[in-house]
Every structure is written in structure tokens, then in C-alpha cells.
Amino acid sequence: MLSRLQSVTLVGIEAIPCEIEVNVATRGFANAQIVGLPDAAVKESLERIRTAVTNCGYELPAHRTVINLAPADIRKEGPALDLPIALGMLFAADGMVPASVKEYMVAGELALDGRIRPIKGVLSMAMLAKKEGYRGVLVPRDNANEAAVVEGVEVIGVGSLTDAVGFLNEQLPLEPTVVDLQEVFEKSSHYDVDFSDVRGQEFCKRALTVAAAGGHNMLLVGPPGSGKTLMAKCLPTILPPLSLSESLETTRIWSASGKLPKGASLLGVRPVRTPHHSASGPALVGGGTIPQAGEVSLAHHGILFLDEFPEFQRSILETLRQPMEDGCVTIARSHSAVRFPAEFMMVAAMNPCPCGYYSDPRKPCKCSQPQIDKYRGRVSGPLIDRIDIHVTVQAVAFNDLRHSKSGTSSATMLASVLAARQRQRDRFGEKKTLLNARMGPRMIRQHCPLDPASELVLKQAMGELGLSARAHDKVLRVARTIADIEGCDAIKAEHVGEAVQYRQLDRQQ
């Protein structure tokens, strides 16, 4: 008897349809074999399935069983195929395949006692089921909330093999899982920090507002204790709330990586990833024998904060160039290439020298000039050139620390960011999520015209600072964002001047 069930396999973050075919012969010895390019975890599933089926009180097929995973040219990975294989073996042995099997995609990992454990990539599976026109998905109960955010698909959460068999045989009615998306976002959209907690640093707050408004990458340079890390932690509070489409894209990456918190359905706030400076290249940008998303992809539609910037290995930092420019990472292997989205806002922080007190008026610097040059040289010029805004963070004065009056709050800064982003949507069109930081050369010429006064300021900056062609475009993008914050249609000389002020490392070279 032959039975068929529909499941999925993950390639990167994409769910690929996988048909499970189980054929039980009418004669031959009782053994089972899996074909269709399974990996070690899938091959080992037979032992889990045999034990789980027996412990649930079912009988295994008494004759030779062949399990085919189609298409056969795509490698099948992970334990998510346990449940559909077990169901296929039971239905084929029984000789009756329920009609409901054709209406659902099935995935889940089996425990030895028949319980169904959570798996990765359930959100991608639900999105594929909707695209392919299936009625619903049969998934582990712990993953049900995650899949239920996809509208138009029934999500049936099952806790055991017995539940799955009973539901498909129409002997156990189970209600689809329903998630209130508005409630999910409301619960998630709160922060424990606020820019009013940052004393002084109004110049840096202004620069952070500009960066958030246009999606610009930023580098903070200052002595220890000046507030660089605190301001980076506060930055999410002035970013616009995640839209549903952005949340789905980001959650899909976290789901496929197995990093979505247990029981969570969506990421309600923009992700902030803070990898340690000892992180490897694959950990930062993605990779591995089986390609996995790295920190830059986990920060999709969010923030990648790199503290102690020069302490990262230079070769690893250089791998950031391509995702910073393209907004994606492509991991190439001999048999395939996997693409991960990586549209993130990078914020880096560093000390001005090894001891941290170069140009600090209160503490003398103990570093020699060669030591300072060597320290700064750990970050290459081409990488610095790709960062739109770099500012110096001064040590906070005593009067600012003890002043009872709070500084600019996150609410005030957020209002400016939202107004500027609305102007960008009006300029680029509602259907595009393009920000000023992502404008290409043609769009810069179209949307960043300069009057004679602005042209003169930019020309002087190019000559005095020796700015590259890339830095020239960065200045124009930042000036466009500053004009948007000020509510101006045209870029003025003061906007260009402020944008040039945010190229402080160029002044030191």
C-alpha cells in the first residue's frame, strides 16, 4: 500500500515542498529504508519513529517499507520529517489513507514516547502552505502560535502522534490556533530605556536622530564611560514600529535559525544584535557546512551593534562590506547558494586609542602615536568609508550628570524620525520601503539637487577632507535626511554643512 503526505524542508530560510511517499510491500522482510537525499538526522529518524509508534500502541508495517523524500535532488535536513514519515508508515500499513491528508502540510519531531517536539522554520512552512493553496498545517503545539500569524491557513497544533492520527482520521476534533496580532505587538512594543536617561550628549542625540530617520550606519568614537553603549541601547526607542510585513520577514529568519523564543508568534520590536568581538566570520555574516543565518541577518530590519569595533578581527570586519551595500548575504557552496536578507542599521562604538583617553581634557593619554595609528588601522579605510555618520562622543561633564533637568527624550526624537520617514515614503512611494541611506547614484542625482551655496560647501569639504566618491554620496544622503527632518523640500547649505560635520574621522586622516 502506498501513502503520500506533504511536508517541507528548509533551504536557508525558504521552505521547499517535500512529498513523503511511503510504500509497504505485500511480502518481504520487515525493514525500512529512506531514500531521497536524507541527512544523518533524517536517517536516524527511523529509530525514533519505531520507538514512538510502539509506545503509542500502534503496530509497525510487517513487510519491507520504502520511504521516498521528493524531490530527490534537494538535501533533506533535520528532524522535522519525523511526524509525516510516521503517519505515512501507519496509513500505508493500515491500507487506508484519510482524505484530509491531502489538505494539510505536516511537520514535527517525535520524542520516544510519542510527544511532538517543536521544530525550526514553522513560519516559512505556513507561508508556503498558503501560497500552495493548502487548507492548513499540522505542527507541534509549541509552534502553533508562530504559524498562526499567517492569515488564511488553519494551524492545528498537536502534542503527540496520537493527536495527529486522531485528527487526520476525523476522530479527534481540534480547534485551529488563532493569534491576535495587535495584542502581540502591544505586548512587545515597550522599552526599559529612554534617551532622557542620557545626560548631556545633545550633539550625539541629534546625530542618532538623523541616523534613525534615514537608516544610516553610524560610528561613535569616545572615551570609556562617555555613554556610547547606553545611547546604542536607546536607539531602538526612536525607530518606527515594525510593520507586519517587516515583522514576518524578520521572524522567519529567527524561526529558521531556531532562535525564536518558545511560545512566541512574532517579533514585535526591531531586533538588536550585539555580537562579541570574538565572534567568527560565519557567526557574524552566516555560513557553515549547512548554511545558517548570521548576526547580520538576525538583525534584519533592526540594529547590529558592534562594541569595541577595532577589537574585531580585521578580516571578519571586511566581510561586512557586501551586506552593508547590498542588504543581503549570499552563502555559496559547491552544490548550491543560499541567500539571507540583511537590511540592518549598523552602529559601531570604539575608543579613540588603546587606553581610551586620546584628546580627553581630564585624563592624559598614555599611548604613543604609532600605537594610536596601529589601533585605528585595525578598521580599514574602505569600511569606514561605508559608514555614513561618525561622531566624537565627549566625556560627560559633572554639571550635566548632576543636573535635575532631563535631556531630549525618545518621544521627542521619535516624532522627528517619523516625520522624516513619512517624507521619504511620499518621495519614493508607499509601496517601497526605501530609505535615504539606500538611494543609488541615479536617485541621488534625482532627489538631492544642490543650490549654488550648497554646492560650494560640498566642494570645499571634498577638497579639504579629501572625500572619496562614496563619501560624497554619503554626505548627500545624510543631507537629504537632515532636510527631511527640518521639513524642507530642497537641500540647503546648512544641511550639507551638518552632514559634513558627521564625517569626523575623515578630518583626522
Side-chain angles (χ1 to χ4, degrees):
M1 177 66 186
L2 177 67
S3 66
R4 293 187 179 91
L5 288 92
Q6 293 296 329
S7 188
V8 297
T9 187
L10 286 179
V11 177
I13 63 171
E14 297 293 334
I16 306 298
C18 179
E19 185 177 51
I20 312 296
E21 297 178 305
V22 180
N23 185 76
V24 177
T26 56
R27 62 183 67 183
F29 295 104
N31 68 343
Q33 182 180 8
I34 299 180
V35 297
L37 212 56
D39 73 346
V42 178
K43 291 178 181 178
E44 291 173 355
S45 67
L46 282 176
E47 297 303 321
R48 291 193 298 271
I49 291 168
R50 287 192 182 103
T51 307
V53 169
T54 302
N55 287 336
C56 288
Y58 299 110
E59 292 185 4
L60 287 166
H63 299 291
R64 175 174 171 77
T65 304
V66 177
I67 301 152
N68 181 43
L69 312 178
D73 61 340
I74 296 177
R75 191 165 187 81
K76 319 305 184 303
E77 300 163 349
L81 300 179
D82 287 6
L83 180 58
I85 290 175
L87 292 172
M89 293 176 70
L90 291 176
F91 295 148
D94 187 54
M96 293 187 64
V97 180
S100 58
V101 164
K102 299 180 180 179
E103 300 176 336
Y104 292 88
M105 281 187 160
V106 184
E109 176 185 352
L110 282 176
L112 297 184
D113 60 358
R115 289 178 295 110
I116 301 178
R117 293 192 172 108
I119 58 173
K120 301 177 182 179
V122 168
L123 179 57
S124 295
M125 174 185 177
M127 295 171 72
L128 177 66
K130 179 179 181 180
K131 178 181 176 182
E132 297 290 329
Y134 286 91
R135 177 179 174 181
V137 292
L138 202 65
V139 297
R141 188 174 294 157
D142 290 340
N143 293 125
N145 286 340
E146 176 188 339
V149 300
V150 180
E151 298 178 346
V153 176
E154 284 188 9
V155 177
I156 307 298
V158 289
S160 67
L161 176 61
T162 306
D163 292 345
V165 173
F167 174 77
L168 292 175
N169 281 324
E170 300 182 356
Q171 297 171 344
L172 177 65
L174 295 174
E175 291 296 322
T177 302
V178 178
V179 171
D180 187 341
L181 295 180
Q182 184 175 357
E183 181 181 353
V184 171
F185 279 105
E186 287 178 354
K187 285 183 178 180
S188 303
S189 58
H190 67 277
Y191 297 94
D192 297 326
V193 291
D194 192 280
F195 268 108
S196 60
D197 301 326
V198 179
R199 300 297 179 176
Q201 308 297 8
E202 293 300 316
F203 174 75
C204 292
K205 288 184 183 181
R206 168 67 176 185
L208 285 161
T209 302
V210 174
H216 302 285
N217 298 319
M218 187 170 185
L219 175 61
L220 302 171
V221 184
S226 56
K228 303 186 297 295
T229 302
L230 177 58
M231 287 188 285
K233 290 180 179 179
C234 293
L235 184 56
T237 65
I238 64 172
L239 291 176
L242 275 174
S243 65
L244 179 58
S245 61
E246 289 176 332
S247 180
L248 286 172
E249 288 178 16
T250 308
T251 304
R252 192 161 67 128
I253 300 171
W254 282 58
S255 173
S257 302
K259 298 186 182 297
L260 194 65
K262 184 178 179 180
S265 52
L266 275 179
L267 291 177
V269 295
R270 295 185 183 274
V272 180
R273 302 298 296 179
T274 57
H276 190 260
H277 57 75
S278 62
S280 65
L284 193 61
V285 300
T289 305
I290 301 173
Q292 296 290 324
E295 294 290 338
V296 297
S297 295
L298 294 171
H300 186 54
H301 290 312
I303 298 168
L304 178 70
F305 177 52
L306 302 180
D307 203 2
E308 304 297 339
F309 199 38
E311 300 298 332
F312 286 83
Q313 293 184 33
R314 179 165 176 162
S315 60
I316 292 175
L317 289 180
E318 293 305 299
T319 62
L320 293 173
R321 290 198 205 176
Q322 185 252 335
M324 287 173 67
E325 291 285 338
D326 301 337
C328 67
V329 175
T330 301
I331 309 296
R333 293 293 179 265
S334 58
H335 54 81
S336 63
V338 180
R339 181 182 177 277
F340 295 101
E343 291 186 9
F344 59 92
M345 180 179 168
M346 190 187 81
V347 180
M350 62 180 284
N351 296 326
C353 66
C355 76
Y357 297 106
Y358 179 77
S359 73
D360 191 310
R362 298 177 302 177
K363 288 188 177 182
C365 175
K366 300 178 181 180
C367 306
S368 65
Q369 191 60 47
Q371 287 177 318
I372 296 173
D373 294 339
K374 182 179 178 181
Y375 179 76
R376 293 181 177 177
R378 294 178 184 177
V379 183
S380 70
L383 183 58
I384 291 291
D385 213 30
R386 284 171 166 81
I387 300 177
D388 308 55
I389 298 173
H390 18 95
V391 297
T392 299
V393 184
Q394 301 293 341
V396 184
F398 177 80
N399 291 338
D400 290 331
L401 284 174
R402 302 302 301 163
H403 203 288
S404 59
K405 184 180 179 181
S406 300
T408 306
S409 67
S410 293
T412 302
M413 298 166 69
L414 177 60
S416 298
V417 171
L418 294 177
R421 292 216 174 186
Q422 182 58 52
R423 293 182 68 85
Q424 291 170 71
R425 281 193 295 271
D426 294 340
R427 180 185 307 119
F428 301 129
E430 287 287 346
K431 294 183 179 180
K432 293 183 180 180
T433 58
L434 188 67
L435 295 175
N436 288 337
R438 294 286 179 183
M439 286 192 295
R442 185 177 300 176
M443 299 189 75
I444 291 175
R445 289 193 296 271
Q446 179 182 354
H447 299 296
C448 302
L450 299 180
D451 58 23
S454 303
E455 191 81 33
L456 180 60
V457 172
L458 182 58
K459 181 179 179 180
Q460 290 176 340
M462 290 286 293
E464 294 176 6
L465 302 181
L467 300 181
S468 67
R470 180 182 286 112
H472 166 272
D473 288 351
K474 296 287 188 187
V475 168
L476 288 177
R477 293 187 184 106
V478 174
R480 178 68 271 171
T481 300
I482 295 170
D484 289 338
I485 292 175
E486 301 299 327
C488 299
D489 292 329
I491 297 175
K492 299 180 181 179
E494 56 265 30
H495 303 148
V496 177
E498 183 178 349
V500 172
Q501 288 294 316
Y502 296 143
R503 304 291 303 182
Q504 294 193 9
L505 285 189
D506 291 326
R507 294 173 177 272
Q508 299 173 11
Q509 294 177 355

